Amino acid sequence: MNFLRGVMGGQPTGPQPTGAETIQKLCDRVASSTLLEDRRDAVRALKSLSKKYRMEVGTMAMDHLVRILQTDRSDTEILGYALDTLYNIVCNDEEEEPDESEEENQQKQEDDLGALFTDKFVQETENVTLLLTLLEEFDFHVRWPGVKLLTALLKNQCAQVQGIILVSPMGVSRLMDLLADSREVIRNDGLLLLQQLTKGNAAIQKIVAFENAFERLLDIITEEGSSDGGIVVEDCLLLLLNLLKNNSSNQNFFKEGSYIQKMKPWFEVGDDNSGWSAQKVTNLHLMLQLVRVMVSPVNSPGATASCQKAMFQCGLLQQLCTILMATGVPADILTETINTVSEVIRGSEVNQDYFASVNAPSNPPRPAIVVLLMSMVNERQPFVLRCAVLYCFQCFLYKNHKGQGEIVATLLPSTIDANSISAGQLLCGGLFSADSLSNWCAAVALAHALQDNLTQKEQLLRVQLATSLGKPPVSLLQQCTNILSQGDKLNRRGSRVQTKVGLLMLLCTWISNCPIAVMHFLHNQDNVPFLTGQISENLGEDERLVQGLCALLLGICIYYNDNSLENYTKEKLKQLIEKRIGKENFVEKLGFITKHELYSRAAQKPQPAFSTPEHMLFDHEFTKLVKELEGMITKAVLKSSEEEKKEEEVKKTLEQHDSIVTQYKELIREQDSQIKELKEQVTLLTSQNEKMQSTVSQQLSQIQQHKDQYNILKLKLGKDNQQTGNQAEAAHVNGLQPEELNQLREQLEELQRQNQLLQTQLAEKDSLITSMKAEGVPSAEGSTSEVTELQREVELLKAQLQSQTAEITQLQRERQELLKGSETTAAVPGENSLYKEKIAELESRLSAQTAETQKFKGEVKTLLESRESMEKDLASATSTAAIMQAEKNKLQQEVQESKKEQDDLLMLLADQDQKILSLKQRLKDLGETIEDEDDLDSKDQFDDDEEEEEEEECDE
């Protein structure tokens, strides 16, 4: 234990071993010790040496430490020492500040060692999986060093470790559990771990987001005090930026989860804005960046528009405008707020209208746009702030024709107010000021007021400027060209490239796709000679961009020329280029624009991001215009006059064809509308015709009914008059009244109906009994006999009813004969008594038949009740038989299983007997005496008992 005493601080008793020797001994002790305390002491000693002897510990002890993590999982103390040692090996952070002369070399060596040991550790993917498993341990001395070690591994080998964690089951979920840890140290280091884990990996970002990361992070930010919070808030915001930046899926999830609304309280700034801490500035800066990520121009237009709408509806845009107009806000926060508001309103009509209505808290109140433009053209303002204001103005005018018209209107003579400062006045002041940066910013801002808006390009031609006293005013277009073409004025202004570039970009944007503006530009006789002179000269490297822009401006004059000026038609301008410049030279100079190093940088994103004011040369929207026009201008200049004539002829032919097609389309539209109207009229007339037809048919049917009723009444009236006398005489002769005869007829008809009803009921009963006999259950013997008895009664009743039917038929015949006799003997008085007796007898027989019929009805009712009871008995008997059958089947199955088990037992017993016999034979061979008879008797008795039990089971 001497080497341990030396390491732990004891007094040396002999020659002091070197660090490598000590580490080797400690490694041997870790590998060979059987006692846990010895291994723990050795690992603790390695931990204490791991910072000073990083190379030796990493080279010799890493495998032993990994083995400790695998085998000694039950002891949290040794696990903590092992994890701390591994962390010291792979971590590149240096606690002590090195000397300045040694700092660079030492940091490089540290980075190389960290990368080397990290690569060695992650070569075995099981090591990372083991580390993820250890993070589930709740003990602080295991979980915290495990988090730090995994963070260091991610810093050194991010992609490789991310891949291992991604394929590990529940790997990301285990790391997300760190955010729920009640110990702030582990939670905060877990945030750092997740920051490293989510860098540049969209798959892991999605998994973390769907593990409810947004909800947890926003809760932590709120608990820590939002923008007034500490470093933890910053870590949460950095993690949120990792999850949302360039990840459309997570952005959509963030918006759909209504998390944008939870961002509004972050930007509630009080009236007293003095004394902002550095941490608060950092936090608010990150919060503004988070808003910009959601509405970035690089996102899809639909997603950006939905986020902009949500930010306006929840009041987030209003809160940002409040910060924008507040006093005492730090400059960098104000700059970032301007950039954020710019992207929230970019391309959104509702948000742009709201921003136009925002006023600064001044006396008198001024629009926020005017206040911002005052900062932009003020050369004493910071450069980044002026760039932010320009970007805000560009975003306000982006796809905003209404806003463009309002800006241009402030320059027109009819709307100028001498008592107030307008946006147009500020732009004109910046355009012609002595500051080249103000010139460039004002020119680009004014160009955005004309972007893709032909109406405003024509309106801006009306703007007049007063140059000096006693001189007539000149147009804005003329003043811009004068500044470019008059070299003496440019020299007094410094002849800066930035001013020239800004004015040329404004002129190119202004006259492109506007023939009237081209005509006004060419009307000045000095403009074309100035452009050709600039293009043909051999200027320096800085002036090449100016030459390219002059070539572009001259090419626009050719391409959009309507040949209204005789001296400057397309053909004459092309001839002028060919004589003074040369077509190939002109195309080469035109290509200087896109070859410039700052052109590609400006074409990447809309926000003007320049490191210095001198690099501020190109505008993003202008680069798109150059890309669109360069090829068309090149073709227009290189074409010959004959090709142009052919193209013009083809163009005219196409225009004529288009006009003819348009005329036919209009004619077809008119015909379609007429056909539609006629179809509607036909439908209306058809419905009216159908209604009239139905009305006519109803009236005809009513007329026919009236006719039929009239004929019937007419016939009935004649017959009644004819038969009234005969009926009265016959009734009087027979001694019977007509009412009595009608009553007899009704009684006979009633008897016939009852007879038919009884016959149908008997037929139903016969069919029911037949079906019951056919479907009867064999075990229900009592029910079958009752059904047979019921059938006999029904047969008897049937015979009685048949006899009654015959009697009723006979009575009907006698009645008919009686009626005939009464008609033929109406004049013989002596036979009246005879007929009276027969009628009395007939009435008595009818009353008897009626009574008997009532009796039959009672019997039928009784039979019906008996049938219902029999049906119930049959149903219960059937169900009982089914249950017994199921039980019988079950018993049969159990008998079969018992037989099978008995057969198996018999086989086993036979095998056992055979073994017993063989063993007895061996004992006999060895000279032992065996009682064979008792054994045989007991065996026979056992076999007999088994056979009796089997027979009893079979009988059951």
Side-chain angles (χ1 to χ4, degrees):
M1 298 294 292
N2 290 334
F3 66 92
L4 285 177
R5 294 192 187 95
V7 171
M8 302 306 294
Q11 295 295 327
T13 57
Q16 187 71 18
T18 62
E21 293 174 349
T22 303
I23 292 167
Q24 184 61 50
K25 291 179 180 179
L26 291 172
C27 292
D28 294 339
R29 176 57 62 95
V30 170
S32 60
S33 294
T34 57
L35 293 177
L36 179 62
E37 290 78 6
D38 292 345
R39 292 197 301 275
R40 185 188 303 125
D41 293 339
V43 175
R44 185 190 299 114
L46 287 173
K47 174 190 171 183
S48 63
L49 295 171
S50 58
K51 289 186 178 180
K52 185 176 181 181
Y53 300 100
R54 185 179 175 191
M55 171 67 77
E56 291 79 1
V57 174
T59 305
M60 293 185 282
M62 180 176 285
D63 293 337
H64 299 292
L65 294 172
V66 171
R67 195 172 298 109
I68 288 292
L69 297 178
Q70 293 172 346
T71 57
D72 291 331
R73 294 283 298 276
S74 59
D75 187 71
T76 57
E77 187 176 358
I78 193 172
L79 289 178
Y81 293 148
L83 291 170
D84 282 330
T85 308
L86 289 172
Y87 172 73
N88 293 335
I89 293 171
V90 301
C91 181
N92 292 324
D93 297 336
E94 186 66 30
E95 294 182 358
E96 298 179 359
E97 290 292 335
D99 296 336
E100 293 182 0
S101 59
E102 301 176 358
E103 182 177 357
E104 185 176 352
N105 293 331
Q106 185 172 356
Q107 184 63 36
K108 185 177 180 181
Q109 292 176 0
E110 295 287 336
D111 293 345
D112 292 341
L113 282 177
L116 175 65
F117 292 133
T118 301
D119 188 60
K120 181 180 179 181
F121 184 83
V122 301
Q123 276 182 353
E124 298 292 334
T125 59
E126 293 81 4
N127 294 342
V128 180
T129 306
L130 175 64
L131 185 56
L132 291 173
T133 307
L134 291 175
L135 289 180
E136 294 180 351
E137 182 67 42
F138 188 74
D139 190 272
F140 180 81
H141 299 288
V142 176
R143 198 172 223 191
W144 187 40
V147 171
K148 294 193 296 181
L149 174 58
L150 188 56
T151 306
L153 294 174
L154 283 165
K155 286 181 180 178
N156 296 334
Q157 294 288 346
C158 186
Q160 192 173 356
V161 178
Q162 282 176 338
I164 298 172
I165 295 174
L166 189 60
V167 299
S168 177
M170 300 296 292
V172 179
S173 300
R174 292 172 182 171
L175 301 180
M176 284 298 299
D177 293 339
L178 298 174
L179 297 182
D181 201 303
S182 58
R183 295 159 293 191
E184 290 190 0
V185 176
I186 295 178
R187 185 198 66 184
N188 298 342
D189 283 348
L191 288 171
L192 299 176
L193 169 61
L194 291 172
Q195 284 181 27
Q196 298 295 328
L197 180 66
T198 55
K199 279 185 178 179
N201 194 309
I204 292 179
Q205 290 169 2
K206 291 178 183 179
I207 296 173
V208 171
F210 282 96
E211 288 284 343
N212 204 22
F214 293 141
E215 186 75 30
R216 296 184 186 181
L217 293 174
L218 293 175
D219 289 343
I220 294 173
I221 291 173
T222 304
E223 292 171 3
E224 295 292 328
S226 297
S227 59
D228 295 323
I231 190 69
V232 178
V233 174
E234 180 182 350
D235 293 337
C236 291
L237 293 170
L238 289 171
L239 179 55
L240 284 171
L241 284 172
N242 282 354
L243 296 175
L244 292 174
K245 196 170 185 179
N246 300 324
N247 194 318
S248 58
S249 175
N250 283 1
Q251 290 173 7
N252 184 60
F253 182 66
F254 191 85
K255 176 181 69 68
E256 294 296 335
S258 300
Y259 296 116
I260 291 177
Q261 288 80 348
K262 296 183 179 181
M263 297 166 65
K264 180 189 173 185
W266 297 352
F267 305 102
E268 293 177 354
V269 179
D271 297 333
D272 185 13
N273 294 319
S274 60
W276 286 49
S277 64
Q279 187 61 55
K280 182 175 181 179
V281 172
T282 302
N283 291 344
L284 201 56
H285 195 274
L286 290 173
M287 290 172 178
L288 292 168
Q289 286 186 358
L290 195 60
V291 176
R292 293 185 64 185
V293 165
M294 298 300 297
V295 292
S296 175
V298 300
N299 298 342
S300 63
T304 301
S306 61
C307 290
Q308 289 172 336
K309 181 179 178 181
M311 290 178 183
F312 176 76
Q313 290 176 346
C314 73
L316 180 58
L317 175 59
Q318 294 85 330
Q319 204 68 45
L320 293 174
C321 291
T322 302
I323 299 176
L324 196 65
M325 295 292 106
T327 57
V329 179
D332 51 351
I333 292 299
L334 181 61
T335 303
E336 190 65 21
T337 304
I338 294 172
N339 289 327
T340 306
V341 171
S342 305
E343 294 182 352
V344 173
I345 68 173
R346 187 176 189 268
S348 174
E349 183 179 357
V350 176
N351 294 3
Q352 288 168 342
D353 292 342
Y354 171 77
F355 184 70
S357 67
V358 175
N359 289 322
S362 59
N363 191 16
R366 289 177 178 171
I369 297 174
V370 174
V371 176
L372 292 175
L373 288 177
M374 292 172 68
S375 301
M376 185 186 74
V377 297
N378 188 353
E379 57 184 311
R380 289 176 296 181
Q381 293 292 339
F383 171 65
V384 290
L385 179 62
R386 299 174 73 181
C387 291
V389 173
L390 176 61
Y391 183 47
C392 183
F393 191 73
Q394 292 173 351
C395 292
F396 170 68
L397 298 178
Y398 182 72
K399 293 183 179 181
N400 185 8
H401 286 199
K402 179 183 175 182
Q404 290 174 331
E406 292 173 352
I407 297 298
V408 174
T410 58
L411 291 167
L412 299 178
S414 59
T415 58
I416 293 178
D417 186 4
N419 297 324
S420 63
I421 300 176
S422 65
Q425 292 173 358
L426 290 171
L427 290 177
C428 284
L431 192 63
F432 305 119
S433 70
D435 179 29
S436 61
L437 185 59
S438 297
N439 302 152
W440 190 91
C441 291
V444 171
L446 197 55
H448 276 265
L450 307 175
Q451 195 77 35
D452 299 327
N453 196 328
L454 181 61
T455 303
Q456 303 310 322
K457 290 178 181 179
E458 296 175 355
Q459 287 292 322
L460 200 62
L461 296 172
R462 297 169 49 201
V463 176
Q464 300 291 321
L465 300 175
T467 55
S468 60
L469 293 174
K471 291 185 179 180
V474 296
S475 66
L476 178 61
L477 180 66
Q478 183 68 37
Q479 183 66 14
C480 292
T481 55
N482 289 342
I483 293 173
L484 282 173
S485 59
Q486 295 175 11
D488 56 338
K489 290 185 179 181
L490 284 172
N491 290 332
R492 285 198 299 270
R493 291 163 52 81
S495 184
R496 296 184 180 178
V497 174
Q498 195 172 37
T499 301
K500 291 182 179 179
V501 170
L503 290 172
L504 286 170
M505 286 196 300
L506 172 60
L507 291 173
C508 291
T509 305
W510 192 346
I511 70 173
S512 65
N513 199 22
C514 185
I516 297 176
V518 173
M519 183 188 69
H520 279 73
F521 180 80
L522 294 176
H523 195 270
N524 188 348
Q525 302 295 327
D526 298 333
N527 289 342
V528 174
F530 168 74
L531 293 177
T532 54
Q534 289 285 323
I535 297 170
S536 59
E537 287 182 6
N538 293 322
L539 301 176
E541 189 70 24
D542 295 338
E543 297 289 335
R544 280 190 173 187
L545 178 58
V546 176
Q547 286 185 315
L549 291 172
C550 290
L552 178 66
L553 184 59
L554 186 57
I556 292 173
C557 292
I558 295 173
Y559 189 78
Y560 291 106
N561 196 335
D562 58 357
N563 297 325
S564 57
L565 294 176
E566 185 178 354
N567 295 331
Y568 294 109
T569 61
K570 286 185 179 181
E571 188 61 32
K572 289 184 178 180
L573 288 175
K574 288 168 62 175
Q575 291 175 1
L576 185 66
I577 290 173
E578 190 172 1
K579 289 179 182 179
R580 295 190 179 181
I581 304 172
K583 292 184 177 180
E584 290 77 9
N585 190 23
F586 177 85
V587 173
E588 181 183 358
K589 298 292 178 68
L590 183 63
F592 285 165
I593 302 174
T594 56
K595 291 178 182 177
H596 199 280
E597 59 178 354
L598 297 177
Y599 173 86
S600 58
R601 189 182 302 175
Q604 292 176 0
K605 57 182 181 178
Q607 182 183 3
F610 306 102
S611 56
T612 60
E614 290 76 17
H615 290 165
M616 207 169 189
L617 292 178
F618 284 105
D619 174 58
H620 177 75
E621 293 295 329
F622 181 74
T623 60
K624 295 197 289 187
L625 180 67
V626 172
K627 185 178 180 181
E628 177 186 352
L629 293 177
E630 184 180 11
M632 296 189 295
I633 291 173
T634 302
K635 290 180 181 179
V637 171
L638 295 179
K639 283 178 186 175
S640 62
S641 58
E642 296 179 356
E643 291 178 351
E644 274 198 0
K645 288 180 181 178
K646 289 181 181 179
E647 283 192 0
E648 287 180 359
E649 291 176 358
V650 172
K651 190 175 181 181
K652 289 180 180 178
T653 305
L654 292 174
E655 288 177 355
Q656 292 176 357
H657 177 72
D658 291 340
S659 64
I660 293 170
V661 170
T662 305
Q663 292 176 1
Y664 277 117
K665 285 182 178 178
E666 292 177 356
L667 180 62
I668 290 169
R669 289 194 192 97
E670 292 177 359
Q671 291 177 349
D672 286 340
S673 61
Q674 292 176 1
I675 290 170
K676 188 176 181 181
E677 291 177 358
L678 291 172
K679 285 182 177 180
E680 291 176 355
Q681 293 178 3
V682 168
T683 305
L684 180 61
L685 292 173
T686 303
S687 62
Q688 291 178 355
N689 185 23
E690 290 176 354
K691 290 180 181 178
M692 294 295 293
Q693 291 282 353
S694 62
T695 305
V696 169
S697 61
Q698 289 176 2
Q699 290 177 354
L700 289 174
S701 63
Q702 289 177 0
I703 290 169
Q704 186 63 36
Q705 289 176 3
H706 290 321
K707 285 181 179 180
D708 294 340
Q709 290 176 2
Y710 172 74
N711 293 329
I712 290 168
L713 290 172
K714 188 176 179 181
L715 292 172
K716 188 175 181 182
L717 183 60
K719 288 182 179 180
D720 288 343
N721 292 333
Q722 185 179 359
Q723 294 178 359
T724 300
N726 296 332
Q727 290 178 356
E729 292 177 358
H732 179 70
V733 172
N734 295 329
L736 295 173
Q737 296 298 328
E739 292 81 3
E740 295 177 355
L741 290 173
N742 292 332
Q743 189 175 2
L744 288 173
R745 288 196 194 97
E746 292 175 359
Q747 290 178 358
L748 285 172
E749 290 174 357
E750 182 66 26
L751 288 172
Q752 288 177 354
R753 285 195 297 270
Q754 291 178 359
N755 185 19
Q756 291 177 358
L757 180 61
L758 289 171
Q759 287 181 354
T760 54
Q761 290 178 355
L762 286 172
E764 291 176 358
K765 286 182 175 17
D766 289 340
S767 61
L768 178 62
I769 290 168
T770 305
S771 62
M772 290 170 64
K773 288 178 66 178
E775 299 176 359
V777 182
S779 62
E781 296 177 356
S783 299
T784 306
S785 62
E786 291 178 2
V787 169
T788 306
E789 184 64 29
L790 181 60
Q791 187 176 3
R792 291 175 185 173
E793 292 178 3
V794 170
E795 291 293 339
L796 182 58
L797 183 58
K798 190 174 181 182
Q800 292 176 359
L801 283 173
Q802 287 178 355
S803 64
Q804 185 185 8
T805 304
E807 291 179 3
I808 290 171
T809 305
Q810 184 65 30
L811 287 173
Q812 287 178 351
R813 289 176 183 174
E814 291 178 0
R815 175 179 169 278
Q816 294 293 332
E817 291 176 358
L818 181 60
L819 290 174
K820 288 180 182 179
S822 63
E823 291 176 1
T824 54
T825 61
V828 184
E831 296 182 358
N832 287 336
S833 59
L834 180 59
Y835 283 110
K836 288 181 180 180
E837 292 176 359
K838 289 184 178 180
I839 288 171
E841 183 182 356
L842 179 61
E843 288 177 356
S844 63
R845 290 173 66 184
L846 284 172
S847 62
Q849 289 294 333
T850 304
E852 192 172 357
T853 302
Q854 293 297 330
K855 179 182 177 182
F856 286 156
K857 285 183 179 179
E859 293 178 359
V860 168
K861 184 177 180 181
T862 305
L863 290 173
L864 288 173
E865 294 175 354
S866 301
R867 187 192 70 175
E868 291 177 358
S869 62
M870 289 300 298
E871 286 177 351
K872 293 179 181 178
D873 294 339
L874 282 173
S876 62
T878 304
S879 61
T880 305
I883 294 170
M884 292 177 67
Q885 185 67 27
E887 292 179 353
K888 177 184 175 183
N889 294 334
K890 184 177 179 181
L891 290 172
Q892 288 178 351
Q893 186 177 359
E894 292 178 355
V895 168
Q896 293 295 331
E897 292 177 355
S898 299
K899 285 183 178 181
K900 186 176 179 181
E901 292 177 357
Q902 288 176 0
D903 292 339
D904 295 338
L905 289 172
L906 289 174
M907 293 291 293
L908 292 171
L909 287 172
D911 294 339
Q912 190 68 23
D913 291 341
Q914 188 65 32
K915 291 179 181 179
I916 291 171
L917 291 174
S918 61
L919 291 172
K920 286 181 178 180
Q921 186 63 38
R922 290 178 62 185
L923 289 171
K924 288 179 180 180
D925 295 339
L926 293 172
E928 295 290 335
T929 58
I930 299 171
E931 296 179 357
D932 293 338
E933 294 179 357
D934 295 338
D935 294 339
L936 290 173
D937 291 340
S938 62
K939 179 181 176 184
D940 293 339
Q941 183 65 31
F942 179 76
D943 292 338
D944 293 339
D945 293 340
E946 287 290 330
E947 289 177 359
E948 288 177 2
E949 289 178 3
E950 183 178 354
E951 289 175 358
E952 288 177 0
E953 289 180 356
C954 292
D955 293 339
E956 291 178 358

